[in-house]
Amino acid sequence: MGEINVLLRAAAPRSYRAARLLGTLDDGRLETLETRIRCDAPPDATEEWRLGLILGPSGSGKTTVARRVYGSIFDARRDWREDVAAIDAFDSVDYETLERALSAVGFGSPPRQLLPYAALSGGERFRVDLARALLEARARGGIAVVDEFAGLLDAATRRSAAIATRRALDLGVFGAARLVAISGRDELAEELEPDWVLDMRDGRVRRGRLRRRPIELGIVRAPRELWNDFKALHYLSGSLNPSAQCFAARLLETGEAVGFAALLPSEGRRGRRRVHRLAVRADRQGQGLGGAFLDALGELCRDEFGTILEIVAGLPFFARRLRESAKWREKYVYPYGRTQRHKGRAAPGSFGRAIASFEFLGDAPPSSEDMEESLSKEKE
């Protein structure tokens, strides 16, 4: 393992105030000011790793060491355009790649993506900054370096962003991109699950991926009024069907509601229910909570109500998640949407929007009756 040995030297300022201040020192620091930084060299692009963390208090030399090792690829955080939506402020990134990248870092709400960068919250700005740094990593040696990682965020949002970041890298959303996070917050060593940590307090690099505590969710019946806290995030109309059954996903550790779902009976199909609305709090997106919530709802319908849960997915990243899950089966795909009828009359549908229909299987394979029904529908 290599070593970093940096000597920072600057001439003493020649001003009245500086002279007064220097006069209080008794160790000869009157002509030059020096700081020496010694530490293990963090892994570079030639080694195998995906996420690293440089940790230490302010003034310990974190940024100096990062610039010494990753200088040419250090994230400069360029300015954002103020006259376009956040989704339009990425240069040379195709829509499918961008949609998946933003969803992966927890910025998957279409209504929020349509806002300009200046109108986003601090947590949302950090997420789009992070997505751009990782998307641009290919042109910077495959490594993105983010200084003061989530430093301005509150504890809950910081934890959410860290979990979403690690998960996105593990899923390969950003290809072979790697991330170096720089922070003064010790808790990030658990939240990011880094493959290595350089702690500037002792200058040592410690390898081996850390593991964080799992997130535990509970599902409870929820009042309809709770939808008001989530409807602005949903990509469809904010209205809620009067006969919908409402549920909330709550963190067992704190009791806070992080997800909302509304279910309805599937019209004309006995023994089935469908997801009417599903949303996850903005500061909790990107952690896989929406998928875990939906799986739990499927199990609840099967075990408690004796019904099969269905969902029509209109967001590409969510449909992709369901296709990759062994617990869900894709039934139909409508690339251009479809019209719907209710009691013989035309009803608002999904015409013009690509959608896919899924049903919950759980851990059991589909029955022969389900397979026959699916095949007959596909022939139609």
Side-chain angles (χ1 to χ4, degrees):
M1 180 183 296
E3 183 181 76
I4 300 291
N5 191 335
V6 180
L7 176 64
L8 302 178
R9 177 178 293 175
R14 306 245 179 221
S15 67
Y16 168 74
R17 292 177 181 174
R20 288 283 302 268
L21 193 58
L22 286 168
T24 64
L25 306 177
D26 62 356
D27 57 358
R29 285 178 289 177
L30 299 179
E31 298 299 326
T32 60
L33 303 175
E34 296 182 350
T35 301
R36 184 172 293 277
I37 300 171
R38 284 194 178 94
C39 64
D40 293 341
D44 58 20
T46 64
E47 300 183 50
E48 289 296 324
W49 54 275
R50 187 166 297 278
L51 194 155
L53 173 63
I54 301 179
L55 189 66
S58 179
S60 60
K62 303 185 298 293
T63 302
T64 299
V65 170
R67 290 193 182 281
R68 175 61 63 95
V69 180
Y70 313 105
S72 61
I73 53 177
F74 201 91
D75 178 25
R77 293 183 179 269
R78 294 182 287 107
D79 292 335
W80 289 85
R81 292 179 57 184
E82 298 182 0
D83 58 337
V84 299
I87 195 77
D88 289 325
F90 289 77
D91 299 328
S92 305
V93 181
D94 64 89
Y95 181 82
E96 287 73 19
T97 299
L98 181 57
E99 178 270 332
R100 191 176 186 190
L102 292 177
S103 299
V105 298
F107 188 61
S109 172
R112 305 301 296 175
Q113 292 176 354
L114 292 171
L115 295 176
Y117 181 83
L120 302 179
S121 68
E124 290 170 331
R125 292 184 187 185
F126 171 77
R127 292 173 190 267
V128 295
D129 283 338
L130 179 62
R132 185 166 69 176
L134 288 168
L135 286 169
E136 294 178 350
R138 297 174 185 175
R140 299 181 176 183
I143 300 177
V145 182
V146 178
D147 203 357
E148 296 298 335
F149 185 94
L152 299 179
L153 306 184
D154 61 82
T157 307
R158 182 175 63 252
R159 176 175 170 79
S160 173
I163 294 173
T165 301
R166 179 78 232 198
R167 185 168 180 268
L169 290 171
D170 287 343
L171 291 174
V173 173
F174 297 95
R178 292 182 276 186
L179 173 68
V180 176
I182 305 172
S183 177
R185 299 183 179 276
D186 289 352
E187 59 269 26
L188 278 178
E190 176 187 347
E191 295 166 352
L192 281 172
E193 297 187 85
D195 301 301
W196 56 262
V197 178
L198 168 57
D199 193 332
M200 295 302 298
R201 285 168 293 200
D202 61 10
R204 297 280 304 280
V205 170
R206 293 172 176 82
R207 300 171 185 267
R209 180 170 173 177
L210 301 175
R211 296 292 177 178
R212 64 173 172 266
R213 293 166 296 166
I215 299 175
E216 297 182 323
L217 292 177
I219 297 179
V220 296
R221 291 292 294 267
R224 295 177 57 85
E225 293 75 17
L226 184 62
W227 175 238
N228 293 328
D229 296 338
F230 291 86
K231 64 182 181 181
L233 300 169
H234 203 272
Y235 71 104
L236 296 179
S237 165
S239 61
L240 203 61
N241 190 295
S243 58
Q245 285 184 300
C246 302
F247 298 87
R250 295 188 180 276
L251 296 180
L252 294 185
E253 184 177 359
T254 63
E256 64 177 317
V258 296
F260 178 93
L263 307 183
L264 288 172
S266 292
E267 187 174 358
R269 295 167 60 80
R270 294 183 60 186
R272 291 177 178 264
R273 298 189 184 198
R274 63 183 177 89
V275 177
H276 172 50
R277 294 288 185 264
L278 179 70
V280 174
R281 247 177 45 184
D283 62 348
R284 290 288 181 174
Q285 293 179 8
Q287 303 180 40
L289 298 185
F293 186 20
L294 186 60
D295 290 348
L297 287 169
E299 294 170 358
L300 178 69
C301 287
R302 179 194 62 196
D303 300 339
E304 299 295 329
F305 307 139
T307 58
I308 297 174
L309 184 63
E310 301 175 322
I311 184 171
V312 175
L315 294 178
F317 76 90
F318 205 73
R320 188 163 48 242
R321 187 271 180 196
L322 294 172
R323 289 190 185 100
E324 295 171 353
S325 172
K327 294 186 176 183
W328 292 86
R329 177 164 67 97
E330 186 174 57
K331 299 183 67 179
Y332 324 114
V333 177
Y334 299 92
Y336 306 104
R338 62 176 178 174
T339 56
Q340 293 177 289
R341 302 189 70 81
H342 178 69
K343 295 182 179 180
R345 297 181 179 181
S350 58
F351 186 75
R353 294 185 292 107
I355 60 172
S357 174
F358 298 85
E359 67 176 3
F360 183 74
L361 300 177
D363 298 321
S367 65
S368 58
E369 291 80 3
D370 285 337
M371 293 298 292
E372 290 175 3
E373 178 191 4
S374 178
L375 289 173
S376 65
K377 290 291 185 179
E378 289 173 2
K379 290 178 181 179
E380 294 176 5

